[in-house]
Amino acid sequence: MRLLAFGESFVAGAGDPDHLGWVGRALRGRRAVTLYNLGIRGATTTKLAGLWRGEAQARLSDEEPCRIVFSFGVNDTWEEAGAARVAPAQSLLNARAMLSEAGALCPVLLVGPPPVPDAGRQARIAALNENLRQLCASLQVPFIDVFQPLAADGPWIAEAAAWDGAHPGAEGYQRMAELVAAHPAWRSLTLAD
Amino acid sequence: MRLLAFGESFVAGAGDPDHLGWVGRALRGRRAVTLYNLGIRGATTTKLAGLWRGEAQARLSDEEPCRIVFSFGVNDTWEEAGAARVAPAQSLLNARAMLSEAGALCPVLLVGPPPVPDAGRQARIAALNENLRQLCASLQVPFIDVFQPLAADGPWIAEAAAWDGAHPGAEGYQRMAELVAAHPAWRSLTLAD
């Protein structure tokens, strides 16, 4: 199986000294899965919507089952001059376009955005997370919510605050990987033929 | 620092149960380096030459130093109907184009192709490896030769033969990572500002 992961810095595993990120950690030991980690630091949903398809087409194969996982939105919530970098309504349009188009190619999963140690952004990410959950329900795309568990306990927020204000380290990524790997939607996506 | 790695399945780490490949293993513990692993299974140098620039432009940043490492060529040597998938002269033209164009953007390194457990392809990869070494010398691009060490000893060939005939497992990738990480050209590329 080939798993294509699209998203922002958290997908890329920025700040993980082991260079696995949550995606690599969630796949540990799964030798038959080839991971294509295509996360991009700072990428908004608008940027991702413009480039995911070309990068997917270069990697999708008829030889093996392929799956796509997305995780995006935190960068959209960054405020510049008093407005979010991408307005919430546009984030949802971008998400809808990516999930619908990718879903026509292969099974797709959305992992919701993780929290950051900043109260203002936290609230905007929480709202986006809820909107994405509802969008996925309407599109019948599986959704894994990691926001509340990562915000509520454990090392994610502490490591991010101690590093660069956004990205956790090995423990935070491991915690997120465990949340994802334990979810039926992840097992269904990555264990099916 | 952001390190962009372009190449074929060996860059992607296909067959590595830890989903690190040699690139991730060579960077272990280097938390300040964001790795973009853009390896693609089955990609020839012709395919890579056509897409590396777009994927690089989506990830290069003015905010941090960027570096590019390439490792390609094994797929070119696959024979179809008695001829290599990409002729040796074309492989070198493709390599020259990628290394020259990337070198105009940021510091670049080429890691030579690893061996496979097939005598016929082994000979063609050895010839390509030598041609790439000479090309890099003429372009003044640093080159790390892993072919002979991986062919001569250790787990690379044994693991690849036992798995799918091409891709090693954790020990083989770890051995390649150690060869790369110990090379002055890698240290120069990844430790400089």
mmCIF file of all heavy atoms in Angstrom, chain B residues 117-148:
data_model
loop_
_atom_site.group_PDB
_atom_site.id
_atom_site.type_symbol
_atom_site.label_atom_id
_atom_site.label_comp_id
_atom_site.label_asym_id
_atom_site.label_seq_id
_atom_site.Cartn_x
_atom_site.Cartn_y
_atom_site.Cartn_z
ATOM 1 N N PRO B 117 20.227 -6.775 -5.633
ATOM 2 C CA PRO B 117 20.726 -8.157 -5.692
ATOM 3 C C PRO B 117 20.425 -8.826 -7.028
ATOM 4 O O PRO B 117 19.691 -9.802 -7.083
ATOM 5 C CB PRO B 117 19.988 -8.832 -4.523
ATOM 6 C CG PRO B 117 18.729 -8.057 -4.364
ATOM 7 C CD PRO B 117 19.045 -6.642 -4.752
ATOM 8 N N ASP B 118 20.997 -8.294 -8.120
ATOM 9 C CA ASP B 118 20.811 -8.840 -9.466
ATOM 10 C C ASP B 118 22.065 -8.479 -10.239
ATOM 11 O O ASP B 118 22.370 -7.292 -10.425
ATOM 12 C CB ASP B 118 19.550 -8.227 -10.095
ATOM 13 C CG ASP B 118 19.374 -8.563 -11.577
ATOM 14 O OD1 ASP B 118 20.275 -8.250 -12.384
ATOM 15 O OD2 ASP B 118 18.323 -9.122 -11.926
ATOM 16 N N ALA B 119 22.795 -9.485 -10.670
ATOM 17 C CA ALA B 119 24.131 -9.240 -11.226
ATOM 18 C C ALA B 119 24.092 -8.337 -12.451
ATOM 19 O O ALA B 119 24.943 -7.452 -12.614
ATOM 20 C CB ALA B 119 24.802 -10.576 -11.560
ATOM 21 N N GLY B 120 23.112 -8.534 -13.329
ATOM 22 C CA GLY B 120 23.051 -7.729 -14.541
ATOM 23 C C GLY B 120 22.806 -6.260 -14.243
ATOM 24 O O GLY B 120 23.496 -5.374 -14.762
ATOM 25 N N ARG B 121 21.823 -6.024 -13.367
ATOM 26 C CA ARG B 121 21.543 -4.630 -13.012
ATOM 27 C C ARG B 121 22.682 -4.053 -12.199
ATOM 28 O O ARG B 121 23.020 -2.867 -12.319
ATOM 29 C CB ARG B 121 20.236 -4.523 -12.217
ATOM 30 C CG ARG B 121 19.028 -4.869 -13.035
ATOM 31 C CD ARG B 121 17.759 -4.507 -12.298
ATOM 32 N NE ARG B 121 17.567 -3.081 -12.226
ATOM 33 C CZ ARG B 121 16.710 -2.483 -11.395
ATOM 34 N NH1 ARG B 121 16.015 -3.209 -10.539
ATOM 35 N NH2 ARG B 121 16.565 -1.182 -11.403
ATOM 36 N N GLN B 122 23.273 -4.899 -11.373
ATOM 37 C CA GLN B 122 24.405 -4.452 -10.550
ATOM 38 C C GLN B 122 25.494 -3.827 -11.436
ATOM 39 O O GLN B 122 26.025 -2.764 -11.112
ATOM 40 C CB GLN B 122 24.967 -5.684 -9.823
ATOM 41 C CG GLN B 122 25.870 -5.392 -8.702
ATOM 42 C CD GLN B 122 25.057 -5.172 -7.428
ATOM 43 O OE1 GLN B 122 24.173 -4.322 -7.396
ATOM 44 N NE2 GLN B 122 25.364 -5.940 -6.415
ATOM 45 N N ALA B 123 25.779 -4.489 -12.544
ATOM 46 C CA ALA B 123 26.834 -3.972 -13.435
ATOM 47 C C ALA B 123 26.405 -2.644 -14.050
ATOM 48 O O ALA B 123 27.225 -1.712 -14.190
ATOM 49 C CB ALA B 123 27.138 -5.001 -14.525
ATOM 50 N N ARG B 124 25.148 -2.543 -14.422
ATOM 51 C CA ARG B 124 24.693 -1.274 -15.021
ATOM 52 C C ARG B 124 24.668 -0.152 -13.984
ATOM 53 O O ARG B 124 24.976 1.003 -14.291
ATOM 54 C CB ARG B 124 23.304 -1.468 -15.641
ATOM 55 C CG ARG B 124 23.315 -2.439 -16.823
ATOM 56 C CD ARG B 124 22.043 -2.376 -17.659
ATOM 57 N NE ARG B 124 20.853 -2.837 -16.964
ATOM 58 C CZ ARG B 124 20.493 -4.116 -16.794
ATOM 59 N NH1 ARG B 124 21.258 -5.089 -17.288
ATOM 60 N NH2 ARG B 124 19.386 -4.430 -16.163
ATOM 61 N N ILE B 125 24.283 -0.491 -12.740
ATOM 62 C CA ILE B 125 24.282 0.537 -11.693
ATOM 63 C C ILE B 125 25.717 0.976 -11.388
ATOM 64 O O ILE B 125 25.996 2.161 -11.185
ATOM 65 C CB ILE B 125 23.583 0.028 -10.419
ATOM 66 C CG1 ILE B 125 22.112 -0.293 -10.709
ATOM 67 C CG2 ILE B 125 23.672 1.059 -9.294
ATOM 68 C CD1 ILE B 125 21.404 -1.056 -9.589
ATOM 69 N N ALA B 126 26.638 0.008 -11.394
ATOM 70 C CA ALA B 126 28.050 0.358 -11.140
ATOM 71 C C ALA B 126 28.558 1.337 -12.198
ATOM 72 O O ALA B 126 29.271 2.299 -11.875
ATOM 73 C CB ALA B 126 28.907 -0.911 -11.113
ATOM 74 N N ALA B 127 28.193 1.091 -13.444
ATOM 75 C CA ALA B 127 28.631 2.000 -14.520
ATOM 76 C C ALA B 127 28.000 3.377 -14.348
ATOM 77 O O ALA B 127 28.670 4.418 -14.502
ATOM 78 C CB ALA B 127 28.262 1.400 -15.882
ATOM 79 N N LEU B 128 26.714 3.396 -14.025
ATOM 80 C CA LEU B 128 26.035 4.682 -13.806
ATOM 81 C C LEU B 128 26.670 5.417 -12.633
ATOM 82 O O LEU B 128 26.883 6.640 -12.686
ATOM 83 C CB LEU B 128 24.549 4.436 -13.521
ATOM 84 C CG LEU B 128 23.734 5.677 -13.160
ATOM 85 C CD1 LEU B 128 23.662 6.635 -14.344
ATOM 86 C CD2 LEU B 128 22.340 5.297 -12.690
ATOM 87 N N ASN B 129 26.954 4.687 -11.559
ATOM 88 C CA ASN B 129 27.568 5.291 -10.380
ATOM 89 C C ASN B 129 28.872 5.995 -10.747
ATOM 90 O O ASN B 129 29.125 7.131 -10.325
ATOM 91 C CB ASN B 129 27.820 4.191 -9.343
ATOM 92 C CG ASN B 129 28.329 4.717 -8.020
ATOM 93 O OD1 ASN B 129 27.678 5.525 -7.378
ATOM 94 N ND2 ASN B 129 29.510 4.251 -7.616
ATOM 95 N N GLU B 130 29.682 5.339 -11.560
ATOM 96 C CA GLU B 130 30.960 5.933 -11.963
ATOM 97 C C GLU B 130 30.733 7.161 -12.857
ATOM 98 O O GLU B 130 31.416 8.183 -12.704
ATOM 99 C CB GLU B 130 31.817 4.887 -12.685
ATOM 100 C CG GLU B 130 33.213 5.344 -13.013
ATOM 101 C CD GLU B 130 33.984 5.883 -11.804
ATOM 102 O OE1 GLU B 130 33.753 5.385 -10.679
ATOM 103 O OE2 GLU B 130 34.782 6.829 -11.982
ATOM 104 N N ASN B 131 29.767 7.058 -13.752
ATOM 105 C CA ASN B 131 29.455 8.219 -14.600
ATOM 106 C C ASN B 131 28.961 9.406 -13.775
ATOM 107 O O ASN B 131 29.305 10.559 -14.061
ATOM 108 C CB ASN B 131 28.384 7.842 -15.633
ATOM 109 C CG ASN B 131 28.943 6.953 -16.732
ATOM 110 O OD1 ASN B 131 30.151 6.912 -16.957
ATOM 111 N ND2 ASN B 131 28.058 6.239 -17.412
ATOM 112 N N LEU B 132 28.139 9.113 -12.772
ATOM 113 C CA LEU B 132 27.618 10.198 -11.926
ATOM 114 C C LEU B 132 28.729 10.834 -11.103
ATOM 115 O O LEU B 132 28.752 12.048 -10.891
ATOM 116 C CB LEU B 132 26.498 9.669 -11.008
ATOM 117 C CG LEU B 132 25.183 9.316 -11.708
ATOM 118 C CD1 LEU B 132 24.222 8.624 -10.734
ATOM 119 C CD2 LEU B 132 24.517 10.552 -12.314
ATOM 120 N N ARG B 133 29.642 9.994 -10.657
ATOM 121 C CA ARG B 133 30.782 10.535 -9.896
ATOM 122 C C ARG B 133 31.575 11.528 -10.763
ATOM 123 O O ARG B 133 31.939 12.622 -10.305
ATOM 124 C CB ARG B 133 31.696 9.398 -9.453
ATOM 125 C CG ARG B 133 32.930 9.886 -8.682
ATOM 126 C CD ARG B 133 34.132 8.977 -8.915
ATOM 127 N NE ARG B 133 33.888 7.600 -8.515
ATOM 128 C CZ ARG B 133 33.989 7.135 -7.265
ATOM 129 N NH1 ARG B 133 34.343 7.955 -6.307
ATOM 130 N NH2 ARG B 133 33.771 5.870 -7.004
ATOM 131 N N GLN B 134 31.813 11.129 -12.005
ATOM 132 C CA GLN B 134 32.580 12.006 -12.899
ATOM 133 C C GLN B 134 31.792 13.278 -13.233
ATOM 134 O O GLN B 134 32.362 14.370 -13.325
ATOM 135 C CB GLN B 134 32.967 11.251 -14.169
ATOM 136 C CG GLN B 134 33.980 10.145 -13.907
ATOM 137 C CD GLN B 134 34.308 9.329 -15.152
ATOM 138 O OE1 GLN B 134 34.069 9.757 -16.277
ATOM 139 N NE2 GLN B 134 34.851 8.133 -14.939
ATOM 140 N N LEU B 135 30.487 13.123 -13.436
ATOM 141 C CA LEU B 135 29.657 14.297 -13.715
ATOM 142 C C LEU B 135 29.732 15.283 -12.556
ATOM 143 O O LEU B 135 29.889 16.495 -12.759
ATOM 144 C CB LEU B 135 28.208 13.865 -13.948
ATOM 145 C CG LEU B 135 27.193 15.004 -14.100
ATOM 146 C CD1 LEU B 135 27.438 15.783 -15.393
ATOM 147 C CD2 LEU B 135 25.761 14.464 -14.062
ATOM 148 N N CYS B 136 29.604 14.757 -11.339
ATOM 149 C CA CYS B 136 29.649 15.634 -10.169
ATOM 150 C C CYS B 136 30.993 16.345 -10.049
ATOM 151 O O CYS B 136 31.042 17.534 -9.700
ATOM 152 C CB CYS B 136 29.342 14.841 -8.896
ATOM 153 S SG CYS B 136 27.588 14.483 -8.700
ATOM 154 N N ALA B 137 32.056 15.624 -10.366
ATOM 155 C CA ALA B 137 33.376 16.265 -10.319
ATOM 156 C C ALA B 137 33.423 17.418 -11.312
ATOM 157 O O ALA B 137 33.925 18.512 -11.004
ATOM 158 C CB ALA B 137 34.466 15.238 -10.614
ATOM 159 N N SER B 138 32.877 17.205 -12.505
ATOM 160 C CA SER B 138 32.930 18.258 -13.520
ATOM 161 C C SER B 138 32.030 19.433 -13.143
ATOM 162 O O SER B 138 32.325 20.577 -13.503
ATOM 163 C CB SER B 138 32.552 17.700 -14.893
ATOM 164 O OG SER B 138 31.153 17.528 -14.991
ATOM 165 N N LEU B 139 30.942 19.155 -12.442
ATOM 166 C CA LEU B 139 30.021 20.233 -12.036
ATOM 167 C C LEU B 139 30.399 20.834 -10.687
ATOM 168 O O LEU B 139 29.753 21.791 -10.240
ATOM 169 C CB LEU B 139 28.584 19.693 -11.942
ATOM 170 C CG LEU B 139 27.912 19.207 -13.221
ATOM 171 C CD1 LEU B 139 26.547 18.587 -12.903
ATOM 172 C CD2 LEU B 139 27.739 20.366 -14.202
ATOM 173 N N GLN B 140 31.390 20.259 -10.040
ATOM 174 C CA GLN B 140 31.767 20.661 -8.687
ATOM 175 C C GLN B 140 30.597 20.526 -7.703
ATOM 176 O O GLN B 140 30.366 21.379 -6.846
ATOM 177 C CB GLN B 140 32.336 22.076 -8.669
ATOM 178 C CG GLN B 140 33.640 22.157 -9.467
ATOM 179 C CD GLN B 140 34.336 23.487 -9.317
ATOM 180 O OE1 GLN B 140 33.863 24.504 -9.809
ATOM 181 N NE2 GLN B 140 35.459 23.482 -8.629
ATOM 182 N N VAL B 141 29.847 19.446 -7.870
ATOM 183 C CA VAL B 141 28.771 19.081 -6.945
ATOM 184 C C VAL B 141 29.296 17.940 -6.074
ATOM 185 O O VAL B 141 29.841 16.969 -6.600
ATOM 186 C CB VAL B 141 27.507 18.621 -7.708
ATOM 187 C CG1 VAL B 141 26.501 17.942 -6.777
ATOM 188 C CG2 VAL B 141 26.854 19.791 -8.421
ATOM 189 N N PRO B 142 29.144 18.025 -4.766
ATOM 190 C CA PRO B 142 29.629 16.919 -3.927
ATOM 191 C C PRO B 142 28.860 15.624 -4.199
ATOM 192 O O PRO B 142 27.665 15.648 -4.490
ATOM 193 C CB PRO B 142 29.400 17.408 -2.497
ATOM 194 C CG PRO B 142 28.518 18.600 -2.599
ATOM 195 C CD PRO B 142 28.635 19.154 -3.982
ATOM 196 N N PHE B 143 29.585 14.506 -4.108
ATOM 197 C CA PHE B 143 29.026 13.195 -4.437
ATOM 198 C C PHE B 143 29.416 12.216 -3.340
ATOM 199 O O PHE B 143 30.572 12.170 -2.919
ATOM 200 C CB PHE B 143 29.603 12.729 -5.783
ATOM 201 C CG PHE B 143 29.174 11.344 -6.202
ATOM 202 C CD1 PHE B 143 27.917 11.122 -6.749
ATOM 203 C CD2 PHE B 143 30.038 10.265 -6.061
ATOM 204 C CE1 PHE B 143 27.519 9.848 -7.150
ATOM 205 C CE2 PHE B 143 29.655 8.981 -6.461
ATOM 206 C CZ PHE B 143 28.387 8.777 -6.998
ATOM 207 N N ILE B 144 28.456 11.436 -2.881
ATOM 208 C CA ILE B 144 28.747 10.395 -1.891
ATOM 209 C C ILE B 144 28.498 9.045 -2.532
ATOM 210 O O ILE B 144 27.389 8.749 -2.983
ATOM 211 C CB ILE B 144 27.885 10.559 -0.616
ATOM 212 C CG1 ILE B 144 28.158 11.916 0.038
ATOM 213 C CG2 ILE B 144 28.167 9.421 0.360
ATOM 214 C CD1 ILE B 144 27.356 12.171 1.320
ATOM 215 N N ASP B 145 29.544 8.239 -2.584
ATOM 216 C CA ASP B 145 29.492 6.917 -3.214
ATOM 217 C C ASP B 145 29.130 5.878 -2.161
ATOM 218 O O ASP B 145 29.871 5.671 -1.204
ATOM 219 C CB ASP B 145 30.872 6.610 -3.814
ATOM 220 C CG ASP B 145 30.880 5.323 -4.616
ATOM 221 O OD1 ASP B 145 29.893 4.559 -4.561
ATOM 222 O OD2 ASP B 145 31.882 5.090 -5.305
ATOM 223 N N VAL B 146 27.966 5.264 -2.321
ATOM 224 C CA VAL B 146 27.565 4.211 -1.382
ATOM 225 C C VAL B 146 27.540 2.846 -2.054
ATOM 226 O O VAL B 146 27.295 1.828 -1.391
ATOM 227 C CB VAL B 146 26.163 4.497 -0.777
ATOM 228 C CG1 VAL B 146 26.173 5.779 0.045
ATOM 229 C CG2 VAL B 146 25.089 4.560 -1.862
ATOM 230 N N PHE B 147 27.795 2.813 -3.355
ATOM 231 C CA PHE B 147 27.575 1.579 -4.103
ATOM 232 C C PHE B 147 28.478 0.437 -3.640
ATOM 233 O O PHE B 147 27.989 -0.646 -3.271
ATOM 234 C CB PHE B 147 27.770 1.844 -5.604
ATOM 235 C CG PHE B 147 27.498 0.641 -6.446
ATOM 236 C CD1 PHE B 147 26.200 0.305 -6.801
ATOM 237 C CD2 PHE B 147 28.529 -0.182 -6.857
ATOM 238 C CE1 PHE B 147 25.936 -0.826 -7.545
ATOM 239 C CE2 PHE B 147 28.274 -1.314 -7.593
ATOM 240 C CZ PHE B 147 26.987 -1.643 -7.949
ATOM 241 N N GLN B 148 29.770 0.680 -3.651
ATOM 242 C CA GLN B 148 30.686 -0.400 -3.288
ATOM 243 C C GLN B 148 30.521 -0.854 -1.839
ATOM 244 O O GLN B 148 30.444 -2.065 -1.573
ATOM 245 C CB GLN B 148 32.143 0.000 -3.568
ATOM 246 C CG GLN B 148 32.529 0.001 -5.042
ATOM 247 C CD GLN B 148 32.300 -1.348 -5.724
ATOM 248 O OE1 GLN B 148 32.260 -2.396 -5.061
ATOM 249 N NE2 GLN B 148 32.124 -1.350 -7.038
#
